[in-house]
């Protein structure tokens, strides 16, 4: 994990460690647990992932610079742990609309800024379950950028560091993710009869 | 009427109401995304908001995108953290300290 390599090391006494954990790390447990759950879809895996993240944070605390964004630092560890240890065994929800989305994926349309026949009044009737399902059925890379940006409020540069990708990739991935999400919401509106099948 | 004046009226008054097809919709949608992410420059913002006052298409896109963001933020339920999690993490860290 290159987590340790980039920043100059800083020594922490036991008391300082406790202070950083209580003041800067533990307050993010809520966001981390929710992120972990939306990656793994399993409560026990999410707990394990969060615990593992905190234990790594403890071991590698020398590479954490106080005053820098603790939440982004923790999210980066969590994301790496997920990729290394959890991704293979995590259960993705059943993809009912797999084919339709897959063909959309592979078309050039996904990069375009698209408008749809989705309208605001259709959104008003959507329940949390439907929106969650739309998000949860996105491919994990797309799901991740939406969570980081729209739910957790990370900036593009923070996301680039968390995900180890260039800012340009953050932007294009986010753009694709939103197009896909919008498409899923539209498909939902269609099944509910808000949009006529053409 | 002077030709210039006619053009001026066409550009500034009439177009205000009849521009329902945006010639640059795709670019506008990209800018909109950046604005809603709070990553835009002041220039981009000023240009965009001046534009949507005249462009019905983009005005609608703006409202829809804002509504979708709002939907994601408000409708996706937060899972409560299990009570025991923080305690068990603290315990594990304690074990590491003793080692
Ligand atoms: Zn426009």
């Amino acid at each position: 994990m290159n987590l340790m390599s980039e920043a100059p090391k800083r020594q922490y006494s036991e008391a300082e460690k406790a202070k950083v954990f209580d003041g800067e790390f533990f307050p993010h447990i809520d966001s981390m647990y929710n992120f972990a759950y939306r990656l793994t879809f399993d409560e026990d895996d999410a707990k394990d992932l969060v615990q593992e993240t905190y234990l790594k944070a403890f071991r590698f605390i020398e590479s954490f610079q106080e005053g820098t964004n603790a939440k982004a630092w923790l999210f980066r560890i969590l994301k790496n742990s997920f990729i290394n240890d959890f991704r293979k065994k995590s259960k993705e929800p059943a993809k009912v609309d797999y084919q339709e989305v897959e063909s959309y994926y592979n078309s050039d349309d996904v990069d375009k800024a698209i408008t749809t026949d989705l309208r605001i009044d259709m959104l008003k009737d959507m329940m949390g379950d439907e929106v969650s399902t739309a998000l949860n059925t996105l491919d994990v890379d797309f799901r991740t950028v939406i969570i980081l940006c729209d739910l957790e409020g990370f900036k593009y540069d923070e996301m680039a560091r968390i995900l180890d990708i260039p800012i340009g990739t953050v932007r294009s991935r986010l753009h694709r993710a939103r197009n896909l999400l919008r498409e899923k919401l539209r498909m939902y509106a269609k099944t509910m009869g808000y949009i006529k099948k053409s | 009427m002077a030709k210039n004046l006619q053009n001026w009226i066409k550009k500034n008054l009439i177009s205000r109401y009849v521009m329902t097809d945006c010639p640059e919709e795709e670019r506008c949608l990209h800018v909109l995304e950046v604005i809603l992410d709070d990553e835009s420059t002041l220039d981009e913002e000023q240009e965009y908001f001046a534009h949507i006052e005249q462009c019905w298409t983009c005005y609608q896109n703006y409202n829809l995108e804002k509504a979708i963001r709002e939907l994601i933020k408000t409708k996706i339920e937060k899972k409560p953290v299990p009570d025991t999690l923080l305690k068990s993490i603290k315990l594990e860290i304690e074990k590491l300290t003793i080692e």
Side-chain angles (χ1 to χ4, degrees):
Chain A
M1 199 161 48
N2 52 6
L3 177 72
M4 302 84 83
S5 56
E6 60 186 34
K9 301 246 187 279
R10 181 221 191 276
Q11 294 298 315
Y12 289 84
S13 69
E14 292 307 314
E16 284 171 330
K17 280 184 197 174
K19 193 173 147 256
V20 169
F21 266 77
D22 287 335
E24 298 199 53
F25 290 176
F26 285 141
H28 299 298
I29 193 166
D30 233 78
S31 297
M32 287 166 66
Y33 179 72
N34 273 274
F35 183 37
Y37 182 75
R38 297 211 174 278
L39 291 174
T40 59
F41 299 118
D42 182 278
E43 290 179 16
D44 289 327
D45 283 349
K47 281 199 284 190
D48 289 349
L49 190 48
V50 171
Q51 173 154 323
E52 197 181 307
T53 303
Y54 276 113
L55 293 183
K56 280 182 185 157
F58 187 80
R59 280 198 204 99
F60 304 123
I61 194 167
E62 281 79 18
S63 60
F64 173 69
Q65 296 292 304
E66 264 184 295
T68 61
N69 190 333
K71 187 178 172 186
W73 192 74
L74 292 168
F75 267 62
R76 180 161 183 246
I77 302 177
L78 195 154
K79 186 260 336 182
N80 285 336
S81 298
F82 170 70
I83 290 174
N84 295 332
D85 309 328
F86 285 82
R87 194 164 188 167
K88 280 174 222 99
K89 62 170 187 159
S90 76
K91 9 183 183 321
E92 308 254 331
K95 291 188 173 171
V96 276
D97 50 5
Y98 187 73
Q99 268 195 330
E100 198 172 340
V101 174
E102 189 71 5
S103 61
Y104 179 67
Y105 247 150
N106 295 331
S107 72
D108 292 335
D109 292 348
V110 81
D111 282 329
K112 282 196 198 125
I114 48 156
T115 47
T116 65
D117 40 7
L118 198 60
R119 293 189 320 265
I120 292 179
D121 57 304
M122 302 166 187
L123 299 179
K124 291 212 172 81
D125 294 324
M126 284 189 192
M127 310 295 285
D129 281 0
E130 289 133 29
V131 185
S132 290
T133 305
L135 176 67
N136 292 348
T137 50
L138 287 181
D139 180 89
V140 64
D141 286 339
F142 294 125
R143 192 163 73 235
T144 300
V145 287
I146 299 252
I147 295 169
L148 295 180
C149 190
D150 294 351
L151 293 179
E152 297 300 337
F154 284 112
K155 311 301 290 178
Y156 294 162
D157 63 333
E158 292 168 337
M159 292 170 69
R161 259 178 286 136
I162 292 170
L163 301 173
D164 293 299
I165 53 177
I167 286 188
T169 311
V170 169
R171 287 181 60 161
S172 60
R173 196 176 287 177
L174 205 46
H175 183 68
R176 275 177 177 231
R178 288 188 174 128
N179 276 355
L180 287 163
L181 187 69
R182 216 197 285 112
E183 185 60 16
K184 280 171 186 285
L185 293 176
R186 197 187 71 87
M187 283 195 292
Y188 179 77
K190 200 161 90 180
T191 61
M192 293 304 288
Y194 292 124
I195 298 172
K196 289 197 186 77
K197 295 186 171 105
S198 51
Chain B
M1 217 178 333
K3 185 110 184 140
N4 278 350
L5 185 59
Q6 269 179 1
N7 281 341
W8 186 88
I9 289 172
K10 203 170 164 195
K11 188 162 165 270
N12 290 288
L13 297 177
I14 299 174
S15 68
R16 201 181 174 93
Y17 304 103
V18 297
M19 193 167 150
T20 52
D21 239 356
C22 181
E24 283 199 289
E25 188 178 358
E26 194 166 330
R27 192 179 77 86
C28 288
L29 279 168
H30 277 285
V31 176
L32 170 58
E33 195 172 359
V34 176
I35 287 175
L36 292 179
D37 287 339
D38 208 11
E39 301 262 2
S40 53
T41 64
L42 197 61
D43 279 355
E44 280 173 324
E45 249 172 75
Q46 281 171 347
E47 190 198 344
Y48 183 81
F49 285 111
H51 174 76
I52 64 169
E53 275 188 30
Q54 298 174 14
C55 179
W56 179 240
T57 309
C58 287
Y59 177 69
Q60 281 186 306
N61 287 341
Y62 173 74
N63 285 321
L64 180 65
E65 282 309 307
K66 246 179 79 165
I68 293 176
R69 299 292 179 96
E70 199 56 32
L71 188 75
I72 294 167
K73 254 188 216 132
T74 55
K75 293 279 176 84
I76 289 180
E77 213 181 304
K78 280 231 161 194
K79 263 189 111 59
V81 184
D83 300 333
T84 51
L85 184 57
L86 185 60
K87 220 186 238 173
S88 87
I89 291 171
K90 285 184 172 174
L91 217 68
E92 288 300 313
I93 289 179
E94 232 168 82
K95 278 189 211 159
L96 286 180
T97 323
I98 295 163
E99 269 167 21

